[in-house]
Amino acid sequence: MTADENMNEHSVISGNSLVKIYGEASHQIKVLEGVDIQLRRGEMVAIIGASGTGKSTLLNLLGALDRPCQGSLYYEGEDIYLRSDRRLAEFRNKAIGFVFQFHHLLPEFTSLENTIMPGLIGGCEQKELVIRGRKLLDKVGLAGRHEHRIGELSGGEQQRVALARAVIRKPALLLADEPTGNLDPNTGDKMFALIKDMNQDFGLTTVIVTHNYHLARQMDRCLTLENGKLVKADL
């Protein structure tokens, strides 16, 4: 058995020949040209590359926010792209957590309300969500800030709420797109440390798109996206 075959056998997530094309006819832009990626349970993977190479596009495909023009994405042996849009949304809510460069929190709600929102949307029992949400906010260093609205928090605190929200449903996969990009270096390092803690405590398979090579070197693997394909990065 080859190393690649062994990885495939133990992969929780496997993207095969993912192609993404934007535009039509003579104005087509081929962003991803047959990307293959296998992710093992609990590992941390960095994806780096120049701006405009399709890193966020790939993350959207891995997170079922978009569908590829070609290719398949297997979670625990099921090609999730074969699901209807409704069932795909249900899967995404339960199995995938997202942390973006911009937190995308709802300003009219408190830290706790933002944290438990995915669970409420998914029909989970509110009392249990509140208990779990409070514990997560405490874990990311926001004890005493549960009832503060988003505008009352610093940028670093807002990203920590976003992280708590991302893991409230105990997802199989955590996807982070430049999660430290808008933070100063010290706050960014603290945010990355929290992501590592979540990865270790909950066994989260974690993929982070980043331009920060210092952070990328600390992960289990680092891949670079170039010419529409993923290759092993040499850092």
Side-chain angles (χ1 to χ4, degrees):
M1 179 179 289
T2 67
D4 286 342
E5 288 171 338
N6 187 61
M7 176 178 280
N8 283 327
E9 182 177 306
H10 294 88
S11 293
V12 175
I13 299 152
S14 178
N16 305 314
S17 302
L18 297 174
V19 173
K20 189 63 179 180
I21 302 171
Y22 293 103
E24 298 180 0
S26 61
H27 300 291
Q28 286 187 346
I29 299 175
K30 200 169 189 178
V31 179
L32 302 179
E33 300 194 21
V35 167
D36 295 311
I37 183 171
Q38 286 81 41
L39 301 170
R40 295 182 293 263
R41 187 183 306 278
E43 73 169 335
M44 293 190 74
V45 177
I47 297 179
I48 62 174
S51 296
T53 54
K55 301 184 298 299
S56 294
T57 296
L58 176 58
L59 219 61
N60 287 342
L61 295 184
L62 292 176
L65 288 170
D66 196 6
R67 294 178 183 268
C69 299
Q70 298 175 36
S72 55
L73 183 66
Y74 287 89
Y75 277 70
E76 303 287 3
E78 178 196 1
D79 185 355
I80 63 164
Y81 291 143
L82 298 180
R83 292 189 174 203
S84 67
D85 288 346
R86 181 183 63 80
R87 292 187 63 237
L88 194 62
E90 292 171 351
F91 169 85
R92 185 169 59 242
N93 174 266
K94 181 179 180 180
I96 304 171
F98 298 93
V99 179
F100 301 99
Q101 181 175 359
F102 302 100
H103 53 74
H104 297 302
L105 299 170
L106 300 173
E108 65 270 28
F109 294 105
T110 66
S111 299
L112 179 60
E113 289 167 339
N114 270 278
T115 297
I116 68 174
M117 192 66 68
L120 294 176
I121 292 171
C124 299
E125 204 277 321
Q126 184 170 349
K127 183 177 179 180
E128 292 181 5
L129 283 173
V130 168
I131 294 171
R132 180 167 174 77
R134 291 189 183 281
K135 289 180 178 179
L136 282 171
L137 288 172
D138 290 350
K139 185 177 180 63
V140 299
L142 292 176
R145 308 286 272 172
H146 299 178
E147 305 306 324
H148 285 68
R149 296 189 186 277
I150 299 308
E152 299 173 311
L153 305 177
S154 69
E157 289 173 332
Q158 291 170 355
Q159 277 296 66
R160 282 183 269 166
V161 174
L163 177 58
R165 177 187 61 183
V167 301
I168 188 69
R169 296 210 66 188
K170 302 179 182 179
L173 176 65
L174 176 64
L175 300 175
D177 194 352
E178 294 287 359
T180 64
N182 282 340
L183 306 176
D184 66 79
N186 183 54
T187 304
D189 286 345
K190 291 179 180 178
M191 180 67 185
F192 179 67
L194 286 171
I195 292 175
K196 288 182 69 175
D197 287 346
M198 295 295 183
N199 167 264
Q200 294 167 4
D201 291 350
F202 301 134
L204 290 174
T205 303
T206 306
V207 179
I208 301 179
V209 164
T210 183
H211 285 102
N212 188 325
Y213 284 21
H214 169 66
L215 299 185
R217 292 188 187 99
Q218 300 179 55
M219 299 189 212
D220 300 317
R221 284 193 291 148
C222 186
L223 306 172
T224 186
L225 189 58
E226 55 185 34
N227 300 319
K229 292 183 180 293
L230 276 179
V231 296
K232 184 178 180 180
D234 184 11
L235 296 181

